[in-house]
């Protein structure tokens, strides 16, 4: 398994260098705070979690050699409802998306990590990113938004 797969595992639910992994950060959120907009014009914790899920699913799609595009759910999905059950589903979907990503990243052969991703506009063109860079970027994305969630959880 490539080291970058280990990094995404750490960011998702392992011993992350930056602090709590994303699952721990999400599990520490009080349901009554998940849908609140504590800062004007900023996203709620639930919206950030949905955003993380969207991009995790999109990265998995790209690892499966699908054409790079916007996430199926959209960049910043809006929660369908603001109930405790909806929050549980958001966390569950994030967990499943990451488990799926890790499963697919483990299947990538060592000699494929430097292959370029197929571009969105013209599938014949490469996007410029390799599979390794893509997964590394997602690990950074997880850490960045985990920090936002941790800060918003303090309100």
């Amino acid at each position: 398994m490539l080291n970058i797969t280990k990094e995404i595992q750490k960011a998702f639910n392992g011993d992350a260098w930056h602090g709590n992994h994303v699952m721990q950060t999400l599990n520490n959120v009080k349901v009554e705070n998940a849908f609140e907009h504590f800062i004007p014009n900023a996203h709620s914790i639930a919206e950030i979690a949905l955003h993380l899920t969207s991009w995790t699913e999109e990265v998995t799609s790209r690892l499966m050699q699908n054409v790079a595009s916007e996430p199926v759910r959209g960049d910043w999905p809006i929660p369908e409802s603001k109930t405790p059950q909806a929050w549980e589903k958001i966390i569950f979907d994030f967990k499943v998306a990451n488990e799926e990503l890790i499963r697919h990243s483990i299947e990538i052969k060592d000699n494929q990590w430097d292959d370029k991703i197929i571009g969105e506009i013209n599938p014949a063109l490469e996007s410029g990113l390799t599979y390794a860079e893509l997964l590394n970027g997602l690990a950074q994305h997880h850490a960045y938004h985990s920090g936002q969630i941790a800060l918003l959880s303090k309100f």
Side-chain angles (χ1 to χ4, degrees):
M1 176 184 348
L2 190 66
N3 189 36
I4 192 62
T5 301
K6 291 178 186 175
E7 292 304 312
I8 199 70
Q9 286 176 317
K10 287 190 238 177
F12 162 55
N13 70 350
D15 186 21
W17 181 84
H18 56 79
N20 292 344
H21 55 75
V22 183
M23 281 304 299
Q24 187 174 7
T25 304
L26 288 172
N27 286 326
N28 288 339
V29 172
K30 295 177 187 166
V31 175
E32 59 270 17
N33 293 338
F35 301 97
E36 292 293 325
H37 289 88
F38 295 107
I39 300 170
N41 300 316
H43 293 285
S44 69
I45 293 170
E47 290 166 348
I48 295 169
L50 287 167
H51 171 76
L52 283 166
T53 302
S54 284
W55 280 102
T56 301
E57 291 169 346
E58 174 57 26
V59 168
T60 301
S61 176
R62 294 177 191 190
L63 289 180
M64 295 169 61
Q65 300 181 358
N66 293 316
V67 175
S69 65
E70 285 291 312
V72 172
R73 295 177 187 242
D75 189 15
W76 287 98
I78 304 296
E80 293 177 13
S81 67
K82 297 179 179 184
T83 65
Q85 295 80 11
W87 178 238
E88 286 177 22
K89 183 172 181 350
I90 289 169
I91 293 173
F92 178 78
D93 288 351
F94 177 73
K95 180 179 180 285
V96 169
N98 278 273
E99 289 169 348
E100 185 79 357
L101 171 79
I102 291 164
R103 186 174 67 77
H104 283 286
S105 68
I106 288 171
E107 294 173 1
I108 294 178
K109 294 175 179 47
D110 288 344
N111 66 342
Q112 294 176 309
W113 284 102
D114 288 329
D115 290 354
K116 301 282 185 178
I117 308 276
I118 299 170
E120 174 184 20
I121 297 168
N122 181 347
L125 299 176
E126 298 168 343
S127 73
L129 282 179
T130 65
Y131 290 104
E133 291 168 329
L134 181 67
L135 208 58
N136 184 45
L138 188 67
Q140 293 174 31
H141 188 250
H142 276 22
Y144 173 77
H145 286 301
S146 184
Q148 288 180 320
I149 294 167
L151 285 172
L152 289 171
S153 295
K154 295 185 181 291
F155 282 93

